[in-house]
Amino acid sequence: MNDLAPLLTPEGRALLDEVRGTAPADELAVATRLRRDHPAPLVSAALAQARLRQRAVAKFGTEDAHRMFFTPHGVEQSTRASVAAYRAARLTELGVTSVADLCCGIGGDAIALARAGIRVLAVDRDPATAATARANADALGLAGLIEVREADVTEVDTSGHDAVFVDPARRGGRGRIFDPEAYSPPLSWAVAAARTARVAALKIAPGVPHEAVPADAEAEWISDHGDVKEVVLWFGTEPGAVRATLLPGPRALRGAGLPDPPVRPLGRYLYEPDGAVIRAHLVADVAAELDGGLLDATIAYVTADTLRPTPYATAYEITDQLPFNVKKLKALLRERGVGVLTVKKRGSAVEPEELRRKVKPQGPNAATVFLTRVAGAPTMLIGAPAAV
């Protein structure tokens, strides 16, 4: 898997076409058949690549995923195509025509940048990863805009480019890295590199502490279909700004620096803010838009008396409020004929699957139960998505 060259030959490409879509249960039979006419290592490499391509469909779409090449780490760490395209579009709006993409991985971000018409220098120090990025630029017809360089990013001169994009490695031998200074390269180095360019974007984990965000950076938390993907630290845009951006759309909520919302009794509706809104600490902005408040000072659920459409939160109409009691919940669900139960939790140690096993929902109806706290007390709220 560290040598793509055999897969890039006519024989390798033909094998990749032949094994496309092979189910895991069929791999042994397919491998046995193909090894009669092809070298065993090449067959194994083709089947492994086919598995990676199937995994990559969720991020890159069917057409691109089955033309590209991947490493196991690259599939896991690469940016979702929709997020990369959004970021590339924003760089284009900022007048960027060339980007130094440092820690480029398999080239997912470089591809999005090139498709936006931006010239890219894509740099990665790992030989296999750089070779994969080069193969992907060629496979997608973007080699004219993407130069892939195998090098240590700390030694690359970026002065000839309008912008710098850095995506430090956030996984090590023991798994995910939470300390930004333990990234490779460290966040402090990436910030210093960003400050040398007219515009820069640093992609980091969405759980980064707000106090770690430099004062001269804009922090943008991005979610895609409700799933928080990353935070981007922008330099050369709006220093100190905080933004939550929701894809598709995009829809962007810019923080107004509001104080924490008041705590108030449960209203008719409960709003669950998008994860990017929560991570960006912009729940107060959503609460102000909804004329609502919090159920508990430490829980990011907003409650209000009226139903108002907002892209930044999902609304539920609440029918019942109960102190936490599994027996009472089970009786209520049985009385309502609830067989499809969605369990959401915030501020509760109870796991959704554990609760489902205990209440054993049965019947034709559906309901949503929220396990949370109301003014500090463990509470169950029962309701359903509101028709906006």
Side-chain angles (χ1 to χ4, degrees):
M1 285 303 300
N2 289 333
D3 186 4
L4 282 177
L7 291 176
L8 300 178
T9 64
E11 181 183 13
R13 293 181 183 276
L15 263 181
L16 285 172
D17 290 339
E18 190 166 351
V19 301
R20 174 174 173 170
T22 300
D26 298 331
E27 281 192 5
L28 180 58
V30 170
T32 300
R33 174 175 57 81
L34 292 176
R35 283 171 182 159
R36 296 170 189 155
D37 302 307
H38 304 280
L42 181 59
V43 172
S44 296
L47 284 169
Q49 190 63 224
R51 285 196 300 271
L52 293 174
R53 286 177 165 184
Q54 289 171 15
R55 287 173 53 194
V57 167
K59 286 189 174 182
F60 292 93
T62 301
E63 184 177 350
D64 279 355
H66 286 288
R67 295 164 63 195
M68 293 171 66
F69 296 87
F70 300 95
T71 64
H73 181 76
V75 170
E76 187 173 348
Q77 293 299 301
S78 56
T79 304
R80 186 180 292 264
S82 56
V83 178
Y86 162 74
R87 200 188 310 107
R90 188 165 180 201
L91 283 166
T92 300
E93 291 170 1
L94 291 168
V96 170
T97 61
S98 63
V99 171
D101 178 2
L102 308 181
C103 309
C104 70
I106 62 166
D109 288 288
I111 289 166
L113 291 166
R115 283 178 167 168
I118 296 172
R119 182 171 53 85
V120 185
L121 169 63
V123 184
D124 202 285
R125 69 180 179 183
D126 179 68
T129 302
T132 304
R134 193 173 293 111
N136 286 333
D138 183 64
L140 299 180
L142 299 169
L145 284 170
I146 301 175
E147 175 196 345
V148 179
R149 186 180 302 174
E150 179 190 328
D152 185 330
V153 297
T154 64
E155 299 174 357
V156 173
D157 179 10
T158 63
S159 60
H161 296 80
D162 297 338
V164 168
F165 173 68
V166 189
D167 181 6
R170 297 183 297 281
R171 279 188 178 273
R174 297 184 178 180
R176 187 172 295 154
I177 297 171
F178 296 97
D179 177 8
E181 283 308 296
Y183 292 172
S184 181
L187 179 60
S188 57
W189 179 89
V191 169
R195 289 173 174 153
T196 66
R198 179 175 68 82
V199 176
L202 311 184
K203 172 188 170 183
I204 57 178
V208 65
H210 280 235
E211 55 268 24
V213 175
D216 56 338
E218 171 196 342
E220 180 182 30
W221 276 260
I222 302 175
S223 68
D224 186 33
H225 290 88
D227 187 10
V228 185
K229 292 300 178 185
E230 62 186 53
V231 59
V232 181
L233 302 184
W234 292 92
F235 293 80
T237 55
E238 299 179 74
V242 176
R243 186 188 308 264
T245 298
L246 281 56
L247 303 176
R251 296 179 181 275
L253 177 65
R254 190 183 185 284
L258 300 179
D260 291 339
V263 175
R264 53 151 290 174
L266 176 69
R268 183 175 177 182
Y269 298 97
L270 180 138
Y271 291 85
E272 181 181 27
D274 183 271
V277 171
I278 296 172
R279 293 281 194 176
H281 295 180
L282 299 182
V283 173
D285 298 78
V286 173
E289 177 185 329
L290 300 170
D291 193 22
L294 300 180
L295 292 171
D296 184 277
T298 63
I299 305 295
Y301 282 141
V302 175
T303 187
D305 299 315
T306 57
L307 180 62
R308 297 182 183 178
T310 174
Y312 305 113
T314 303
Y316 296 83
E317 185 171 7
I318 302 301
T319 57
D320 300 271
Q321 176 180 351
L322 303 171
F324 184 84
N325 186 302
V326 175
K327 288 185 178 179
K328 288 185 178 180
L329 177 63
K330 184 175 182 179
L332 178 64
L333 296 176
R334 187 187 308 116
E335 177 186 330
R336 304 271 174 86
V338 173
V340 180
L341 183 65
T342 300
V343 181
K344 293 179 172 286
K345 67 168 214 167
R346 189 160 290 155
S348 172
V350 179
E351 292 300 326
E353 286 305 318
E354 176 188 352
L355 184 69
R356 286 194 192 90
R357 285 195 300 270
K358 289 181 177 179
V359 301
K360 299 176 182 176
Q362 293 180 356
N365 299 320
T368 301
V369 59
F370 293 87
L371 307 178
T372 188
R373 293 195 302 270
V374 174
T379 303
M380 301 182 298
L381 306 175
I382 296 91
V388 179

